[in-house]
Amino acid sequence: MKRDETVALFLQGKDAWNAWAETMLAKKAELEKAGTWQVNNPGEGQNDATRGWTAAASMDLSGVRFMTRALADAPEKQAGSDEEVSAPPEGDVKTLVVEDDVIGFAGFIFPWRAWFESAQFHGLAWFESAQFHGEARFGSAQFHEQAWFVSAQFHELAGFESAQFHEQAWFWSAQFLGQARFGSAQFHGLAGFKNATFKASTSFRRAKFGDKKKRQDADFTGIKVERAFDMTGATFSKVPAFNQADFAQAPDLDDVRYPQPPFFRFWVRGWEDKEKTVRRADPLKADGAKYRHLRRLAILGHDHENESKAFKGETRAKRGTEHYPWHAAFWFGVLYDALSDFGRSMMRPFYVWAALVIAFAFLYLWTSNAPFDGCAATAAVGLGKNLAAWSEAAYLAVKNGLIVIGLGAESKINQAHACLYGGSIQEPVFPPGPSFAQVGQNLLSAPLIFLFLLAVRNQFKIK
């Protein structure tokens, strides 16, 4: 059915539309019963009877600019949102003014293909409980007000590639029985997919949920996914909610970006509102649960990178809300965060370890009795006329920093002590102060070496 014919049918109202749709579905059933229904995988008819039916049953509303009467009468609204959009050329646009407060497709039945490519919805787009028996194409469509697809059923492909939702997009309890494609879609308002069902492969590749100026929630709570779920490169302005989501296969979260809570929160107290019904810590605790469910999905897919990112977010969300400064977990979390980025950074613990080596080398040299450029005790036994004290202090610091790794026999350690603190190679002096300092260096170096090795393991997925 051509666009003008589709528009004319739409203007007759839902009853006339659904009566026509039921007639078309009945004709399809007759073709199937007679054995003349033949379509290929893309849905193209393979004989005259099938081709005739698919042509008559397809609905074309591509490029239509739907406007409610209230917006049509307000000139400043007719151009749509101030945000940058990819509108179709004006020659391809057909403006349709709806004499209602909403653009109503609620309960509409689409017997075959529904084309809404590059359509514009200026007003609430109401598709609640709509049934799409064929492909539903909303690619590059513009929803300037709320888009309401609650309980909608998509029996075949649902294509929302590059669609822009400028206000809330509601897909609660929607059923996607065919492929669902939201690649590069932009959700400038809340994206609600709570309790939606995805039966076939689903893609949210490079989709954007909110932005830095307007942070928005993405709610995937309780969704049921039975096939592949691809979110590669998706960007979230707030941590997404996958609480109680059920995935038959591990989702693809490669290069997914979502914000992290701030590094340090001392103690979050007080109330969000004057009525004292919501504590300021409650939203932060809720975020902690969201990060925890993201970590669960990452574990399901053996995704160590996203597992550690989600653990980082969960721990930071608890800092100052569940972990308080008088709890050991608070300070262990701070140190784990600062020293290794939760096991994700190899260089942080290495740099701190190297700084400790330098600091203890200066400490050993400062507490020694030897001149900076010579050691008489070692020169006397033929180990060098002026063996540098600073090099012996550096050796001792490196040796203690590595804890268990050799770097020489006991005689070499004795030589360093004899050079720095006196005595002979056979009987060097071990002053109490420097000896305790060496024990302290061992204790400080051990967790840093552990964190470095942990980061190596996480980086290279070593089990």
Side-chain angles (χ1 to χ4, degrees):
M1 186 181 293
K2 294 181 179 180
R3 186 171 70 175
D4 289 343
E5 296 173 323
T6 306
V7 169
L9 181 59
F10 170 73
L11 292 175
Q12 295 179 40
K14 183 177 76 171
D15 291 340
W17 178 291
N18 283 353
W20 168 85
E22 294 287 358
T23 300
M24 296 305 298
L25 289 174
K27 290 181 178 179
K28 178 186 175 186
E30 292 175 1
L31 292 175
E32 291 174 337
K33 185 177 181 180
T36 56
W37 174 260
Q38 295 180 7
V39 293
N40 59 14
N41 189 38
E44 301 292 340
Q46 297 299 291
N47 56 41
D48 291 340
T50 306
R51 279 192 292 268
W53 185 91
T54 56
S58 297
M59 316 301 293
D60 184 7
L61 291 167
S62 57
V64 174
R65 178 191 287 153
F66 294 92
M67 304 189 74
T68 61
R69 171 57 63 186
L71 290 176
D73 292 340
E76 68 277 6
K77 294 290 186 179
Q78 292 185 22
S81 171
D82 292 335
E83 301 178 53
E84 183 178 350
V85 296
S86 54
E90 191 65 27
D92 296 335
V93 174
K94 179 182 180 66
T95 300
L96 179 61
V97 178
V98 178
E99 301 294 338
D100 203 344
D101 295 333
V102 300
I103 302 165
F105 285 93
F108 273 48
I109 299 172
F110 296 84
W112 196 236
R113 290 173 175 160
W115 300 103
F116 287 89
E117 298 278 358
S118 300
Q120 302 178 42
F121 296 87
H122 297 268
L124 193 155
W126 197 269
F127 286 85
E128 182 175 9
S129 301
Q131 297 183 37
F132 297 86
H133 289 268
E135 293 184 5
R137 296 277 190 175
F138 288 84
S140 300
Q142 304 281 342
F143 295 87
H144 292 279
E145 301 294 336
Q146 293 188 39
W148 197 268
F149 287 87
V150 174
S151 299
Q153 294 183 19
F154 299 87
H155 292 263
E156 299 292 338
L157 183 146
F160 289 85
E161 298 94 332
S162 300
Q164 294 201 30
F165 300 87
H166 295 280
E167 297 295 338
Q168 296 96 327
W170 304 97
F171 288 87
W172 286 0
S173 301
Q175 296 185 42
F176 297 88
L177 308 181
Q179 294 184 33
R181 298 178 183 173
F182 288 86
S184 299
Q186 296 188 35
F187 297 85
H188 299 280
L190 180 146
F193 288 86
K194 186 175 182 179
N195 295 329
T197 300
F198 299 89
K199 291 279 188 181
S201 61
T202 303
S203 175
F204 283 88
R205 292 178 66 93
R206 296 183 296 278
K208 292 184 64 176
F209 298 83
D211 51 46
K212 292 182 179 179
K213 295 181 180 179
K214 191 177 180 182
R215 299 184 181 276
Q216 297 292 344
D217 288 307
D219 186 2
F220 292 88
T221 301
I223 64 172
K224 183 177 178 61
V225 181
E226 299 186 8
R227 299 292 294 275
F229 194 85
D230 186 3
M231 298 204 80
T232 302
T235 302
F236 296 89
S237 60
K238 297 175 70 173
V239 58
F242 283 93
N243 306 44
Q244 306 303 320
D246 182 9
F247 287 84
Q249 301 178 20
D252 190 343
L253 303 176
D254 288 348
D255 200 29
V256 169
R257 286 165 286 180
Y258 49 84
Q260 295 284 357
F263 171 79
F264 195 82
R265 275 197 301 257
F266 191 73
W267 186 8
V268 179
R269 294 180 289 178
W271 301 87
E272 285 280 342
D273 50 12
K274 295 181 180 180
E275 293 77 14
K276 295 185 177 181
T277 59
V278 179
R279 294 184 181 274
R280 291 180 57 212
D282 289 349
L284 304 176
K285 291 181 180 180
D287 282 350
K290 294 177 183 178
Y291 286 111
R292 183 166 60 253
H293 285 284
L294 277 175
R295 184 158 64 97
R296 176 177 63 86
L297 298 181
I299 293 173
L300 182 64
H302 303 285
D303 186 344
H304 300 292
E305 174 65 18
N306 277 302
E307 179 185 351
S308 60
K309 280 174 58 179
F311 178 70
K312 173 181 178 179
E314 179 186 357
T315 305
R316 284 189 173 185
K318 291 180 178 180
R319 196 173 298 161
T321 59
E322 297 180 44
H323 297 166
Y324 300 112
W326 52 89
H327 295 160
F330 181 96
W331 296 106
F332 275 108
V334 169
L335 291 174
Y336 191 25
D337 192 349
L339 294 177
S340 71
D341 195 20
F342 292 92
R344 302 173 65 225
S345 173
M346 290 184 287
M347 300 313 296
R348 283 194 199 179
F350 173 77
Y351 288 144
V352 176
W353 177 88
L356 282 177
V357 168
I358 295 172
F360 275 94
F362 276 104
L363 176 63
Y364 300 144
L365 188 61
W366 179 65
T367 57
S368 73
N369 299 319
F372 183 78
D373 59 350
C375 298
T378 54
V381 293
L383 292 177
K385 182 177 180 181
N386 284 308
L387 190 64
W390 67 265
S391 64
E392 296 302 289
Y395 164 78
L396 197 60
V398 173
K399 177 68 173 66
N400 291 322
L402 292 175
I403 307 174
V404 296
I405 298 178
L407 286 186
E410 184 178 355
S411 60
K412 176 62 178 173
I413 299 175
N414 291 343
Q415 172 187 308
H417 275 269
C419 172
L420 294 171
Y421 305 110
S424 64
I425 300 296
Q426 292 75 25
E427 296 183 3
V429 175
F430 287 87
S435 297
F436 281 116
Q438 292 180 55
V439 173
Q441 186 183 0
N442 289 159
L443 294 175
L444 292 173
S445 298
L448 294 173
I449 292 175
F450 169 77
L451 292 174
F452 174 81
L453 295 176
L454 178 64
V456 171
R457 171 190 176 276
N458 292 337
Q459 179 69 31
F460 296 103
K461 314 295 188 293
I462 301 172
K463 295 185 178 180

